Amino acid sequence: MDENVYIKTGVTNVPDEGGYFGEYGGRFVPETLVPALDELIVAYKEAMADPEFQHELAHLQTTYTGRPTPVTYAKRLSEHLGGAQIYLKREDLAHTGAHKINNAIGQALLAKRMGKHRIVAETGAGQHGVASATVSALLGLDCHVYMGSVDMARQKPNVFRMKLLGAEVIPVESGSKTLKDAINEAIRDWVTNVRTTFYLLGSALGPHPYPMMVRDFQSVIGTEAREQIVKEAGRLPDVCIACVGGGSNAIGLFHAFRDDKNIELIGVEAGGHGIASGEHAARFADPNMGRPGVLQGTRSFVLQNADGQIMNTHSVSAGLDYASVGPEHAYFRENEIAHYTVATDDEALAAFQTLCKLEGIIPALESSHGVAEVIKRAPTLPKDAVILVNLSGRGDKDLDTVIKELGMNV
Amino acid sequence: MMTSKMTGLEAIDAMFADTKEQNRAAFLPYFPIGYPNYAESIEAIVGMAEVGVDGFEIGMPFSDPLADGPVVQAATQIALENGTTVRDCIRAVRELRARGVHQPMLLMGYLNPILAYGIENFVRDAKAAGTNGLIVPDLPPEEGVLLAEVCHREGLALVFFLAPTSSNERMELVSKQASGFIYVVALTGVTGVRTELPPDLTDFIERLRKHTDKKLVMGFGISTPEQARRVGSLLDGFIVGSALVKAGKEGAAKAIELATTLRQALD
């Protein structure tokens, strides 16, 4: 690895009091929500300092989510690629099948502590919606999930799951009918019912304190993985890889490694049909459309046209199909704490199949973008190099999409 | 009445002085540029100016209007589909001035298109076209320091919001930062027509008056002459948006008709 291209600058104890990660982050919301965010900041700080809250969170993580999730050595994949040794952080094995539960449990406990029993959430792939519905059932909360109608069509099993779990799923027909529009509707609901309602935001996005809070609840991924990889591989990894939609699984993994100057962190955005096609969700990779801007409460990289209108995005994976990215990722990129690359739909679908066949693991299409980068990187590294990839979720929910994309007859 | 020697902000102050003299509240219609098309939006605003409304909130469309209800969302979506840009909205203000609209006009739009245009350029061009001020619903004062500085320098108003959820401290902070007037959100929620105003409105306004001496203009949920009279008796002004937008769906005439009714309710 060329050490000169990888200089981690910038302090990593972000955000500041105003919720800024360098130039990114902040709180760009209607005034009606400002008091709710202020209240949330106070409640969150108190909860995190309260040993009882921490105990309850840790207890549920162990006895309900099934943490720690293992780190699995991908022996056949490593041999097949003929380079670095590959290890998978198995968030797909967490209850509900993805990392989203880590944050959902944390925020739901906080909601309960704040006396707010009505939960609104947005969902893209449905994994956060399922996690929110699950913890709402567990804690006796009233859960309402906004989901774009396009996403509902491509993630049907998750829609059914949420309904079984007692949540109301509200179809969103505005805009591109995907994650961004679901967030708009969830915020509109929150602004209307702000006194009684907790907005359980699913990614490291939105106004302060959400990017910080979601990161903190997800950082269990990296904290565990750091210990586990030393046990399994005998040392720390050379490279950590994770897919980046809003970026919660990636920030959760990266955080434990953010100060290690010799560990490369790579986030993988959705390249869709390729950057040149304009049909993608690659905020960092497309210099024409991806520029700093403000969307849904936070300043970060945003896919927008010259007039500042937000672009429609495309990805085969609903969970990466979003026009902005968590502000901490923008900060990590600017300060070279992490690097960002893309995987196209086709590369993700190929990686999906490879992991199925070689490891007996069906990854989520989101996570398959991370695996696609592993397939590119591993052969370029020596055999004693170690790659850790976050397998953020399992792919059962994606079977319909994959069958269609691959033209399979079942 | 506005004269060319006044700054944007001074013309807004003059508007309130006029309405106060007439012992009534100011009526500021909201109407988006490019809806139902560019020409009709211009006609609607010219027509409303002619029937004596006091000022305007000129809507600039945004793809993700998260403070707006279904009616304004749909209207601004149509405006975008018609190809309406920020530049078009500034051009519209210039055209409206040329058509004889003398009332204060505040451009209302979300932050990202303004950032994409460039804050300095936007304020300069908007002012040159005859804009009096800006209303940016996703910009609380903490995030609006730079825009506030530029507006202040150019003599434009930068309107901030207060809501029923606002604490007393928040009221004082917003009062310090706001210029022109404070946009008082009548209820927790998004823009849109409501059959009834919230019952605790009087308490809310009393609390506001204790913490600010700025002009207070209420919006969100006002659509009928009765509501206009009630709100007008309590505050310095009010904004009607969704009801006018709904009326203006087929063209300017119906929107002008409703604006006329609302204006007459104040006499």
Side-chain angles (χ1 to χ4, degrees), chain A residues 18 20 26-32 34-35 38 174 180-181 184-185 187-188 191-192 194-195 291 293-296 304 306-310, chain B residues 61-68 73 80 85-86 111-113 115-116 137-138 140-143 161-166 170 174 188-190:
Chain A
Y20 273 90
R27 250 184 4 171
F28 297 86
V29 293
E31 186 65 31
T32 310
V34 170
D38 283 342
S174 57
K180 172 178 74 93
D181 313 288
N184 285 338
E185 279 311 314
I187 292 176
R188 289 180 187 125
V191 83
T192 305
V194 62
R195 291 188 174 103
R291 284 176 282 121
V294 168
L295 178 64
Q296 296 175 333
Q304 54 187 307
D307 206 39
Q309 305 297 341
I310 309 307
Chain B
F62 181 49
S63 53
D64 295 82
L66 54 74
D68 284 303
Q73 277 178 51
L80 284 177
T85 63
V86 171
L111 183 60
N112 200 58
L115 293 178
D138 56 347
E142 291 91 332
E143 305 291 358
F161 290 71
L162 281 170
T165 52
S166 300
R170 205 66 210 160
V174 168
T188 59
V190 292

Side-chain angles (χ1 to χ4, degrees), chain A residues 108 111 116-121 132 136 141-144 197-198 200:
Chain A
K116 301 205 173 187
H117 293 270
R118 182 175 182 273
I119 301 289
V120 290
S132 300
S136 295
L141 303 168
D142 173 26
C143 185
H144 307 262
T197 297
F198 187 99
L200 208 169

Side-chain angles (χ1 to χ4, degrees), chain B residues 163-180:
Chain B
T165 52
S166 300
S167 64
N168 297 343
E169 294 74 32
R170 205 66 210 160
M171 288 180 176
E172 276 165 30
L173 174 84
V174 168
S175 178
K176 226 175 271 171
Q177 304 293 329
S179 57

Side-chain angles (χ1 to χ4, degrees), chain B residues 87-103:
Chain B
R87 211 165 288 280
D88 292 333
C89 297
I90 293 173
R91 176 164 65 96
V93 172
R94 177 171 287 115
E95 202 172 321
L96 288 163
R97 289 284 178 236
R99 293 278 304 270
V101 176
H102 58 82
Q103 289 93 333

Side-chain angles (χ1 to χ4, degrees), chain B residues 113-248:
Chain B
I114 296 174
L115 293 178
Y117 196 102
I119 283 181
E120 292 271 354
N121 291 342
F122 177 77
V123 173
R124 189 197 57 216
D125 292 355
K127 181 188 173 185
T131 306
N132 297 74
L134 306 179
I135 303 175
V136 187
D138 56 347
L139 189 74
E142 291 91 332
E143 305 291 358
V145 177
L146 178 59
L147 186 58
E149 267 175 32
V150 180
C151 283
H152 180 73
R153 196 184 66 213
E154 300 294 337
L156 294 196
L158 181 57
V159 171
F160 289 113
F161 290 71
L162 281 170
T165 52
S166 300
S167 64
N168 297 343
E169 294 74 32
R170 205 66 210 160
M171 288 180 176
E172 276 165 30
L173 174 84
V174 168
S175 178
K176 226 175 271 171
Q177 304 293 329
S179 57
F181 56 87
I182 293 172
Y183 192 133
V184 179
V185 179
L187 38 82
T188 59
V190 292
T191 59
V193 172
R194 311 294 200 285
T195 46
E196 281 173 50
L197 291 169
D200 53 356
L201 200 58
T202 322
D203 294 348
F204 173 39
I205 292 160
E206 258 175 42
R207 194 159 67 85
L208 277 165
R209 294 280 191 208
K210 260 183 223 160
H211 296 281
T212 179
D213 53 5
K214 291 271 162 72
K215 298 292 180 201
L216 301 178
V217 174
M218 183 165 274
F220 285 43
I222 304 160
S223 62
T224 65
E226 295 70 37
Q227 289 171 337
R229 268 194 292 268
R230 164 115 197 273
V231 170
S233 70
L234 296 168
L235 297 109
D236 305 296
F238 64 94
I239 292 166
V240 176
S242 297
L244 288 167
V245 168
K246 219 174 180 175

Side-chain angles (χ1 to χ4, degrees), chain A residues 95-127:
Chain A
H95 179 44
T96 72
H99 72 291
K100 292 290 184 189
I101 190 87
N102 302 329
N103 167 57
I105 284 188
Q107 286 196 42
L109 284 176
L110 190 58
K112 208 169 177 186
R113 191 185 159 96
M114 291 171 75
K116 301 205 173 187
H117 293 270
R118 182 175 182 273
I119 301 289
V120 290
E122 82 297 336
T123 198
Q127 291 303 105

